[in-house]
Amino acid sequence: MKWLLWKAFTSLILFFGAREMFNFCFLSQAYVDSSVIMGQTGQFQTRVEKYENIEYMKCTPENGFFPDLSTVSPTNIIFFCSPNNPTGFAASREQLTKLVQFAKDNGSIIVYDSAYALYMSDDNPRSIFEIPGAKEVAIETSSYSKYAGFTGVRLGWTVVPKELLFSDGFPVAKDFNRIVCTSFNGASNIAQAGGLACLSPDGLKAMQEVVGFYRENTNIIMETFNSLGFKVYGGKNAPYVWVHFPGQSSWDVFGEILEKTHVVTTPGSGFGPGGEGFIRVSAFGHRNDVLEACQRFKQFCK
Ligand SMILES: Cc1ncc(COP(=O)(O)O)c(C=O)c1O
């Protein structure tokens, strides 16, 4: 099927999951660790807690979770995740237009991760290709993991437009296909059959129901932290709630919550230096567990 899709679109490639894309191709900000393992970064700089050869684009409440591109040094590859994990923020059409222009001006390729697009509840773009000119500068990758619980099954896809060319005019899609076909034997037939079932009318309905269920979980978590007086971000366009603990270390907050409530959150600084002072709370869970966790948060904050 991979071949059939390749023939039909000349630009759509199926992966085991979205993550394989990051590991095998380019330096990733989203998955810094993978890039380190692949030997694409420089040394870790302890003083600033950053790797060399990565330009970190800080996304915080101060800049509306979108980087100030006038201060960002050009790179070959720009990894951009919207709706974002961990902040839950989704970029607007205007912001994405600026990003596309920035990539054009600097000869960069955007790798756009839209793994949470189905969770969006506002009318911001679901795909970078909604932006005119994006096909000349962007690749988009996504996954069934968050839509249909394929995290273990492994199936994702990547769109590499025909219009995307290296500076010498050679199509990126040709190199991409070569890398993929050399590195993988393709997604299993079982996984692909599952993916096709997801795209049937029943499958699409089931995915909407799953997303709706997690959206309800997200609302419960948002309400809990709001009622406790925390500054809370995200939740609207992704199943993550980004909770601010100003002046505190993410790891300290994570440790205290774990010890006192036995609930596992994720320390924000684990996503990069811009996440310091935050924790991420995930809505991917059974309803009773989410309710129980929220009850414990309330006890913890009494
Ligand atoms: C933004 C984002 N992209 C991609 C992935 C990985 O997806 P997959 O399971 O298809 O590798 C994740 C998983 O956590 C994610 O949060």
Side-chain angles (χ1 to χ4, degrees):
M1 189 173 113
K2 185 172 81 172
W3 172 242
L4 281 180
L5 284 169
W6 179 254
K7 287 290 275 183
F9 299 102
T10 343
S11 61
L12 190 140
I13 298 171
L14 278 176
F15 273 101
F16 308 149
R19 201 173 310 202
E20 283 73 10
M21 153 82 197
F22 295 109
N23 291 347
F24 277 79
C25 275
F26 305 109
L27 187 113
S28 152
Q29 293 180 343
Y31 295 146
V32 172
D33 292 357
S34 318
S35 305
V36 173
I37 291 166
M38 296 299 290
Q40 300 203 48
T41 67
Q43 293 296 315
F44 187 67
Q45 302 167 290
T46 322
R47 195 177 49 81
V48 284
E49 303 209 331
K50 291 179 182 177
Y51 282 93
E52 285 170 333
N53 298 348
I54 296 183
E55 172 77 18
Y56 290 73
M57 298 195 292
K58 204 170 180 179
C59 297
T60 58
E62 287 73 41
N63 62 11
F65 295 105
F66 188 80
D68 176 1
L69 295 173
S70 67
T71 64
V72 172
S73 304
T75 54
N76 292 336
I77 302 296
I78 302 167
F79 279 86
F80 197 87
C81 175
S82 180
N84 186 263
N85 176 10
T87 65
F89 172 81
S92 68
R93 195 168 299 275
E94 196 191 347
Q95 289 170 330
L96 291 177
T97 303
K98 280 189 192 152
L99 188 70
V100 165
Q101 192 55 50
F102 179 77
K104 278 196 176 163
D105 292 345
N106 297 300
S108 310
I109 294 176
I110 300 167
V111 178
Y112 191 80
D113 182 346
S114 59
Y116 296 95
L118 214 60
Y119 286 82
M120 289 179 69
S121 56
D122 61 24
D123 58 3
N124 284 323
R126 262 96 176 129
S127 164
I128 188 76
F129 299 124
E130 289 185 38
I131 307 301
K135 285 184 178 171
E136 289 147 41
V137 288
I139 287 170
E140 182 162 323
T141 185
S142 195
S143 163
Y144 284 97
S145 285
K146 320 293 166 179
Y147 302 169
F150 270 43
T151 321
V153 178
R154 315 303 299 141
L155 194 68
W157 64 94
T158 297
V159 177
V160 188
K162 280 176 277 191
E163 292 84 342
L164 181 64
L165 306 175
F166 289 113
S167 53
D168 64 359
F170 191 81
V172 172
K174 281 197 175 172
D175 264 8
F176 199 91
N177 186 42
R178 181 69 191 261
I179 292 169
V180 172
C181 294
T182 308
S183 307
F184 306 115
N185 288 329
S188 75
N189 286 352
I190 293 173
Q192 292 187 51
L196 283 176
C198 289
L199 299 178
S200 68
D202 282 351
L204 291 171
K205 193 166 155 274
M207 286 200 290
Q208 288 296 351
E209 282 166 11
V210 166
V211 167
F213 176 83
Y214 290 128
R215 195 172 282 141
E216 286 170 10
N217 278 355
T218 313
N219 290 340
I220 294 169
I221 298 168
M222 292 283 285
E223 277 163 23
T224 302
F225 280 98
N226 275 325
S227 73
L228 294 168
F230 286 96
K231 265 258 180 229
V232 177
Y233 302 91
K236 209 165 74 172
N237 291 313
Y240 297 120
V241 179
W242 192 235
V243 190
H244 201 187
F245 291 79
Q248 289 184 259
S249 127
S250 297
W251 277 104
D252 287 350
V253 174
F254 162 81
E256 203 183 341
I257 292 175
L258 182 63
E259 274 172 31
K260 297 197 174 146
T261 68
H262 298 169
V263 174
V264 178
T265 58
T266 311
S269 56
F271 295 95
E276 187 57 282
F278 289 85
I279 57 157
R280 189 198 71 174
V281 184
S282 168
F284 286 125
H286 297 291
R287 179 63 44 81
N288 283 342
D289 292 342
V290 170
L291 289 170
E292 173 67 27
C294 288
Q295 214 34 55
R296 291 189 197 178
F297 286 137
K298 286 182 179 164
Q299 288 290 335
F300 166 67
C301 292
K302 252 187 185 170

